Amino acid sequence: MLNVQEIGRRAKLASRQVQGLSIEKRNQLLELLASNVSQQQDVIIQANALDLAKASELTEPMKNRLTLSEDVLADIQVSLRELAELKDPLAAPYPEWTHPTGFKIVKKTVPLGVLAMVYEARPNVTVDAAALAIKSGNAVILRGGKEAIQSNIALVQVMRSVLKEAGYDENIIQLIEDTSHDSVNELLHLREYVDVLIPRGSARFIDFVVQNATVPVIETGAGNTHIFVDESADFDQAIKVIVNAKTQKPSVCNAAEKLLIHESIAADFLPRIADALIQKGVELRGDEAAVAIDGRLKQATDEDWDTEYNDLIMGVRVVADLDEAIDWINAHTTHHSETILSKQAENVAAFMNQIDAAVLYQNVSSRFTDGFEFGFGAEIGISTQKLHARGPMGLEALTTIKYEVFGEGQVRG
Amino acid sequence: MLNVQEIGRRAKLASRQVQGLSIEKRNQLLELLASNVSQQQDVIIQANALDLAKASELTEPMKNRLTLSEDVLADIQVSLRELAELKDPLAAPYPEWTHPTGFKIVKKTVPLGVLAMVYEARPNVTVDAAALAIKSGNAVILRGGKEAIQSNIALVQVMRSVLKEAGYDENIIQLIEDTSHDSVNELLHLREYVDVLIPRGSARFIDFVVQNATVPVIETGAGNTHIFVDESADFDQAIKVIVNAKTQKPSVCNAAEKLLIHESIAADFLPRIADALIQKGVELRGDEAAVAIDGRLKQATDEDWDTEYNDLIMGVRVVADLDEAIDWINAHTTHHSETILSKQAENVAAFMNQIDAAVLYQNVSSRFTDGFEFGFGAEIGISTQKLHARGPMGLEALTTIKYEVFGEGQVRG
């Protein structure tokens, strides 16, 4: 098993090759990946069976995410071919201009270099991340969870053999097979080789990465997502949006977690939305005012207000007005997606201007915070930070710029 | 003296006010800053005299940087008025598009929120950073060096009184008066309040910040800057460019530090460039091959090749070819500015594609790596990282984006 340092060194070397490949060659590699995943289907499914055999302690949804069935592999092939169809994120034309002394400055889009992805039990991320890296001209270091290690080894083997057969450096794609915490820790400090690390996983894991990494990180994912129901909200529309945002896929980061209701409508609206949510199996936890209005709500604890449940649970509060809603959300937001249900343009503008989050919604379900839904054709993750990338990230989040200057002996006076 | 935590809390609150100011009001504030610096000139110069009185152990160039004379203050006023003339970095129009279900997505440019600047003895940075923050709609926390503390207190006092008289929150601009290491350390971990920290100072200080900060950082400045003289270089032009890059202002990050010469021209070219540099007072330190060609060169040590001298010293190496030059530079670059002197387009392209730096030059002095020279009208610093901003940073480096979504009850199916 290679050590992390050596994997980093090889990735940096390989990054010089992949950054120079034309878009035709990068897309060709994606097509080859798709056909090899198909050809090697049995090998991959056998490796996956080894992981599943050890997964007895995992929950049913976790087992589902771990499983590589024929259907899942077929979906992966479709994604690879769709990615090949996407526009080159490195494509010219680049902005260029001329300095008064006559030299030309070109602001070129270039790959970041070496990406590192640290993630948990989903082996489809292995192919996804490698494919996004190739499309954007980057080398990638993958560090998946121990639950999926046999699947990841098989998938990376298939992808590296494609690179080798096509005459490229296999180390454009590498897997860290050491699934101990030590290997993550080493990766977090590999400043010489890693240009960006993108963690995917629980809020706690991402916080660990942000607190400890010295390599550049793009923080993703945690979503303690609020919906504020303003005085002027259309009740039927509000119920439809809240039920969708909370229940359509409760396990993900763009699902709603908290509901704030303007006090002037709370007595009318709260029992109606509670009916709809309880019917969908949602457990409601309220502040005192909410519990007083509807006795079906349990009393929330302080901890609730900062918890991302990722489950059929929702916290409910009654707020005095828009300002209280804004202040509350700014104090508890994870800067992901926040929603106002309102017909008042002025209130909507105040909400959007004053709340510090990547995506602000008026009368739309926050479940749309997603790279594909936003029209980017791909999704690297959802950034909850402000530098470099914010909100759903498309391929351009994996690029940077470089200035190229062409002159004839100009000097500074 | 306020503690750093409380300064952070106040800055975050104040950031909500400054982010909402129209460009007219932000520019008006810059004009008021300029006129108040002029009116309060005597107070500022008196405070500066207190700092200068304690500066006996500083070198002459450091004393110069610390001094706030009438001329320096006049320059500051000119800069403030020029900044007021610049285009609004937050200005519409913003990209917008419509989702298939009919809701509208607007990608808006917004301020980062709270900037923190940590810097050393130059009090003009105090006004500069505060003015850039206001122009871009951000609040700012300033932490200058102890050598300039009285000057900084006076300057910040003048700026805060402008804010107060104009009816705004003074805490849009705050100074950390505690000049101990503890205050920097606290600031590096103020994740709740600081949106970006920009360090300015020695390579060692910036490295300390990068290794220790948990707040987002933009790494700036270190420049172990190389010039490669290719076989095809025009000797006269090369001498002009090298002398300018090395000697026009040797103390700054875009000054050249290392010279690599293609071995096929080294015997002819090295004595000529050595004549020119030695005449300008430059000490030359060579590898064995370079010393063998020209005995005036001292023998370089291993440490030389990774040292940014910021002085009239230059390291000189003979390299076998372009590839060796590229590999050498990639192993020793600080990713700032790298130069090739060559007439061969193919070699220039290889150099620019394969070297991992913010700015790549062909036949131009690297002294042009600068926000004003690049036409940005302002300079926050020179980023040597790849995320968010790279190379000379204009005002847009102090902004981020936010998605605003407007709909009529759309839900995800």
Side-chain angles (χ1 to χ4, degrees):
Chain A
M1 217 156 51
L2 285 175
N3 68 45
V4 174
Q5 188 76 22
E6 178 59 18
I7 289 174
R9 202 188 61 77
R10 292 181 181 193
K12 185 58 96 185
L13 273 176
S15 74
R16 305 218 171 104
Q17 185 179 72
V18 65
Q19 70 167 13
L21 298 183
S22 67
I23 186 62
E24 291 73 24
K25 287 181 177 162
R26 282 177 273 140
N27 287 338
Q28 210 170 35
L29 278 174
L30 295 176
E31 296 287 352
L32 288 169
L33 289 184
S35 51
N36 269 44
V37 165
S38 162
Q39 282 161 33
Q40 301 292 317
Q41 181 170 295
D42 296 345
V43 177
I44 296 166
I45 289 174
Q46 275 166 36
N48 187 242
L50 298 176
D51 287 328
L52 288 169
K54 288 192 198 153
S56 54
E57 78 285 11
L58 296 184
T59 63
E60 217 45 46
M62 286 173 83
K63 267 189 213 166
N64 282 339
R65 287 199 288 267
L66 178 56
T67 303
L68 291 173
S69 62
E70 282 188 29
D71 283 355
V72 171
L73 292 175
D75 284 350
I76 286 176
Q77 291 162 54
V78 171
S79 303
L80 286 166
R81 295 200 164 103
E82 282 174 358
L83 190 60
E85 297 299 316
L86 277 190
K87 193 172 147 285
D88 181 7
L90 308 173
Y94 310 119
E96 60 174 71
W97 60 98
T98 303
H99 186 268
T101 63
F103 62 76
K104 188 170 77 171
I105 304 175
V106 182
K107 185 179 179 179
K108 207 172 163 184
T109 305
V110 298
L112 280 169
V114 176
L115 317 179
M117 293 282 295
V118 186
Y119 51 102
E120 298 181 331
R122 295 172 52 183
N124 59 319
V125 173
T126 304
V127 182
D128 206 30
L132 291 165
I134 286 177
K135 180 80 187 193
S136 55
N138 290 289
V140 68
I141 299 173
L142 302 160
R143 165 62 174 74
K146 64 174 186 307
E147 299 81 2
I149 184 68
Q150 298 302 331
S151 314
N152 288 339
I153 289 173
L155 288 167
V156 169
Q157 188 53 44
V158 169
M159 296 192 286
R160 285 169 60 95
S161 67
V162 167
L163 290 168
K164 197 173 180 183
E165 279 162 31
Y168 301 123
D169 187 340
E170 304 175 276
N171 295 324
I172 293 169
I173 301 171
Q174 290 180 95
L175 177 70
I176 298 179
E177 297 186 15
D178 174 359
T179 58
S180 70
H181 283 297
D182 290 353
S183 72
V184 173
N185 245 320
E186 255 193 276
L187 192 57
L188 294 188
H189 295 90
L190 216 58
R191 280 185 64 80
E192 198 180 344
Y193 302 124
V194 172
D195 292 298
V196 66
L197 183 143
I198 303 177
R200 281 198 184 179
S202 66
R204 220 179 113 214
F205 173 68
I206 289 164
D207 193 56
F208 171 81
V209 169
V210 168
Q211 295 290 337
N212 290 283
T214 57
V215 299
V217 170
I218 298 180
E219 205 181 333
T220 65
N224 185 29
T225 298
H226 300 75
I227 300 176
F228 168 56
V229 190
D230 198 10
E231 266 182 312
S232 66
D234 174 312
F235 281 14
D236 291 334
Q237 192 187 80
I239 291 167
K240 192 175 76 163
V241 170
I242 296 164
V243 169
N244 182 263
K246 179 67 250 179
T247 70
Q248 196 244 352
K249 197 170 184 185
S251 62
V252 294
C253 61
N254 59 19
E257 301 287 4
K258 301 297 177 313
L259 184 63
L260 308 183
I261 305 175
H262 193 291
E263 68 178 0
S264 73
I265 57 161
D268 287 344
F269 183 71
L270 176 48
R272 291 187 52 187
I273 184 65
D275 284 348
L277 290 169
I278 290 168
Q279 204 186 334
K280 288 278 190 175
V282 178
E283 176 188 321
L284 298 173
R285 301 183 186 172
D287 68 346
E288 276 181 36
V291 174
I293 291 169
D294 192 325
R296 294 172 294 178
L297 276 62
K298 296 185 187 168
Q299 181 74 47
T301 64
D302 279 355
E303 210 193 324
D304 274 293
W305 308 115
D306 292 304
T307 300
E308 183 183 3
Y309 304 115
N310 287 331
D311 202 348
L312 287 173
I313 305 171
M314 189 169 221
V316 183
R317 283 186 78 84
V318 177
V319 293
D321 53 19
L322 175 71
D323 285 343
E324 190 182 319
I326 291 172
D327 288 346
W328 181 267
I329 295 173
N330 273 328
H332 298 274
T333 183
T334 53
H335 313 287
H336 190 297
S337 300
E338 304 296 354
T339 304
I340 180 169
L341 305 179
S342 174
K343 284 184 288 203
Q344 276 232 327
E346 211 177 299
N347 286 8
V348 172
F351 186 92
M352 293 191 172
N353 286 333
Q354 291 175 45
I355 287 180
D356 191 14
V359 189
L360 285 310
Y361 288 97
Q362 176 197 22
N363 303 337
V364 176
S365 168
S366 60
R367 287 278 299 114
F368 286 106
T369 302
D370 174 283
F372 294 96
E373 295 294 337
F374 271 47
F376 304 158
E379 179 176 290
I380 318 301
I382 294 166
S383 163
T384 54
Q385 66 181 36
K386 294 187 191 173
L387 295 191
H388 190 66
R390 195 180 200 195
M393 292 185 280
L395 285 161
E396 83 278 12
L398 302 180
T399 69
T400 182
I401 59 113
K402 181 185 243 189
Y403 293 101
E404 295 187 352
V405 178
F406 303 92
E408 285 140 346
Q410 284 87 349
V411 295
R412 194 158 164 191
Chain B
M1 216 156 54
L2 284 175
N3 67 45
V4 174
Q5 188 75 22
E6 177 59 18
I7 288 173
R9 202 187 63 78
R10 292 182 181 193
K12 185 56 95 184
L13 272 176
S15 75
R16 304 219 171 104
Q17 184 178 74
V18 66
Q19 71 167 11
L21 298 183
S22 68
I23 186 61
E24 291 73 26
K25 286 181 177 162
R26 282 177 272 141
N27 287 337
Q28 208 170 35
L29 278 173
L30 296 175
E31 295 289 351
L32 288 170
L33 290 183
S35 51
N36 269 43
V37 164
S38 164
Q39 281 161 34
Q40 301 291 318
Q41 180 169 294
D42 295 347
V43 176
I44 297 167
I45 290 174
Q46 275 166 35
N48 187 242
L50 297 175
D51 288 329
L52 288 169
K54 288 191 197 153
S56 55
E57 80 283 13
L58 296 184
T59 63
E60 215 47 46
M62 287 172 84
K63 266 190 217 167
N64 281 339
R65 286 200 287 268
L66 178 55
T67 304
L68 291 173
S69 61
E70 282 186 31
D71 284 355
V72 171
L73 292 176
D75 283 350
I76 285 177
Q77 292 162 53
V78 170
S79 302
L80 286 166
R81 295 200 164 103
E82 283 174 357
L83 190 59
E85 296 299 317
L86 275 191
K87 193 173 147 287
D88 181 8
L90 308 174
Y94 310 119
E96 60 174 71
W97 61 97
T98 304
H99 186 268
T101 62
F103 62 76
K104 188 171 78 172
I105 304 175
V106 181
K107 186 179 179 179
K108 204 171 165 185
T109 305
V110 297
L112 281 169
V114 176
L115 317 178
M117 295 280 297
V118 186
Y119 50 102
E120 297 179 332
R122 294 172 53 184
N124 58 321
V125 173
T126 304
V127 182
D128 207 28
L132 292 165
I134 285 177
K135 180 78 185 195
S136 55
N138 289 288
V140 67
I141 300 173
L142 302 160
R143 167 58 176 78
K146 64 174 184 306
E147 299 81 2
I149 185 67
Q150 298 303 331
S151 313
N152 288 338
I153 289 174
L155 289 167
V156 168
Q157 187 54 45
V158 167
M159 295 193 287
R160 284 169 61 95
S161 66
V162 166
L163 290 169
K164 198 175 179 182
E165 279 162 33
Y168 300 123
D169 187 340
E170 302 175 278
N171 295 324
I172 292 168
I173 302 171
Q174 292 179 94
L175 177 71
I176 298 178
E177 296 185 17
D178 173 359
T179 58
S180 70
H181 282 298
D182 289 352
S183 72
V184 173
N185 246 318
E186 255 193 276
L187 192 57
L188 294 188
H189 294 90
L190 216 57
R191 279 185 65 80
E192 198 180 344
Y193 303 124
V194 172
D195 292 298
V196 66
L197 184 144
I198 304 176
R200 283 197 183 180
S202 67
R204 219 179 114 213
F205 172 68
I206 288 164
D207 194 54
F208 170 80
V209 169
V210 168
Q211 295 290 338
N212 290 283
T214 58
V215 297
V217 170
I218 299 179
E219 205 181 333
T220 65
N224 186 29
T225 298
H226 299 77
I227 300 175
F228 168 56
V229 190
D230 197 12
E231 266 183 314
S232 65
D234 175 310
F235 281 14
D236 290 335
Q237 192 186 79
I239 291 166
K240 192 174 75 162
V241 169
I242 296 164
V243 168
N244 183 264
K246 179 67 251 179
T247 70
Q248 195 244 352
K249 196 170 183 184
S251 63
V252 292
C253 61
N254 60 18
E257 301 287 4
K258 301 296 176 313
L259 185 63
L260 308 182
I261 305 175
H262 193 292
E263 70 177 359
S264 73
I265 58 162
D268 286 345
F269 182 72
L270 177 47
R272 289 188 51 190
I273 184 64
D275 283 350
L277 289 169
I278 289 166
Q279 204 186 333
K280 288 279 190 173
V282 178
E283 175 186 320
L284 297 174
R285 301 182 186 174
D287 69 346
E288 276 182 36
V291 174
I293 291 169
D294 191 325
R296 295 173 293 179
L297 277 61
K298 296 187 186 165
Q299 182 74 45
T301 65
D302 279 353
E303 210 194 324
D304 274 293
W305 308 114
D306 292 304
T307 300
E308 183 182 2
Y309 304 115
N310 287 332
D311 203 350
L312 287 173
I313 306 172
M314 190 169 219
V316 184
R317 283 187 78 82
V318 176
V319 292
D321 53 21
L322 175 71
D323 285 341
E324 190 183 319
I326 290 172
D327 288 346
W328 180 268
I329 293 173
N330 274 328
H332 299 273
T333 181
T334 52
H335 314 288
H336 190 298
S337 300
E338 303 296 355
T339 304
I340 180 169
L341 305 179
S342 175
K343 283 185 287 204
Q344 275 233 328
E346 211 177 302
N347 286 8
V348 173
F351 186 91
M352 292 192 175
N353 287 332
Q354 291 173 47
I355 287 180
D356 192 14
V359 189
L360 286 310
Y361 288 97
Q362 176 198 19
N363 301 337
V364 176
S365 166
S366 59
R367 286 279 297 115
F368 286 106
T369 301
D370 174 282
F372 295 97
E373 294 295 338
F374 271 48
F376 302 158
E379 181 174 290
I380 320 298
I382 294 166
S383 163
T384 54
Q385 65 181 37
K386 293 187 192 174
L387 295 191
H388 189 67
R390 196 179 199 195
M393 293 184 279
L395 285 162
E396 82 280 10
L398 302 181
T399 70
T400 182
I401 58 110
K402 181 185 243 189
Y403 293 101
E404 295 187 349
V405 178
F406 303 91
E408 287 140 346
Q410 282 87 349
V411 296
R412 194 157 164 192

